[in-house]
Amino acid sequence: MVGKTSSKCVTGAAFLTAALLASPAQATGTIACEATDGSDAAIMLGVGRLPILAVISAFVTAEGQDWSLDGSVGTQISVGQGFMDSDQLLVDLVDTNIEEVLISLRLYRNSTGKSSAEAGVLTVHNVGVYPVMCEEG
């Protein structure tokens, strides 16, 4: 995850790391993002990279609230839709009745040779909008 020095970010990082350890083994990678605005907002996705994007796990924290795909932490959410190509990743997470988009991640990538950058926007409905930097693992 992107390094932060504040205790809020350390708490968010610890939350996301612990949550991901409980995720299914079939996840082939992770995408971890932290807000760059000094807030505690963060998202971690476990993804399978098939011909389509498969979001296998999701853990989100913002403004003292938490959400998770499996309901193990905070409010349970579901995957609404996801898309990934070499330039962008777009994910919408919805309530369990699939009536409202609660969380959106819009991540944009650029790379040249061995250098790359990933940044975007995490939107949490009725909570806030956060600029994020991300790392894939």
Side-chain angles (χ1 to χ4, degrees), residues 10-30:
V10 170
T11 301
F15 158 75
L16 291 174
T17 300
L20 188 63
L21 292 175
S23 68
Q26 73 253 36
T28 61
T30 59

Side-chain angles (χ1 to χ4, degrees), residues 76-98:
Q76 186 169 5
I77 51 178
S78 297
V79 177
Q81 60 185 348
F83 171 79
M84 180 172 63
D85 65 15
S86 61
D87 297 325
Q88 61 185 343
L89 176 130
L90 313 170
V91 173
D92 289 327
L93 302 170
V94 298
D95 65 282
T96 55
N97 291 328
I98 312 172

Side-chain angles (χ1 to χ4, degrees), residues 15 19 59-60 64-77:
F15 158 75
F59 300 95
V60 181
Q65 300 177 60
D66 303 316
W67 298 262
S68 63
L69 200 58
D70 64 3
S72 63
V73 178
T75 303
Q76 186 169 5
I77 51 178

Side-chain angles (χ1 to χ4, degrees), residues 5 8 20 43 48 54 56 81 90-91 94 118 125:
T5 56
K8 279 198 237 179
L20 188 63
I43 182 170
I56 299 166
Q81 60 185 348
L90 313 170
V91 173
V94 298
E118 298 178 325
H125 183 67

Side-chain angles (χ1 to χ4, degrees), residues 1 6 8 10 16 18-19 37 47 50 56 61-62 72 74-75 77 80 84 88 90 99 101 110 116 123 126 132 134:
M1 296 181 73
S6 76
K8 279 198 237 179
V10 170
L16 291 174
D37 63 358
V47 296
L50 306 168
I56 299 166
T61 186
S72 63
T75 303
I77 51 178
M84 180 172 63
Q88 61 185 343
L90 313 170
E99 296 173 334
V101 174
N110 200 345
S116 65
T123 303
N126 289 331
V132 294
C134 307

Side-chain angles (χ1 to χ4, degrees), residues 22-58:
S23 68
Q26 73 253 36
T28 61
T30 59
I31 300 167
C33 306
E34 285 189 355
T36 61
D37 63 358
S39 69
D40 69 343
I43 182 170
M44 182 174 282
L45 302 174
V47 296
R49 291 182 178 95
L50 306 168
I52 60 168
L53 174 69
V55 177
I56 299 166
S57 63

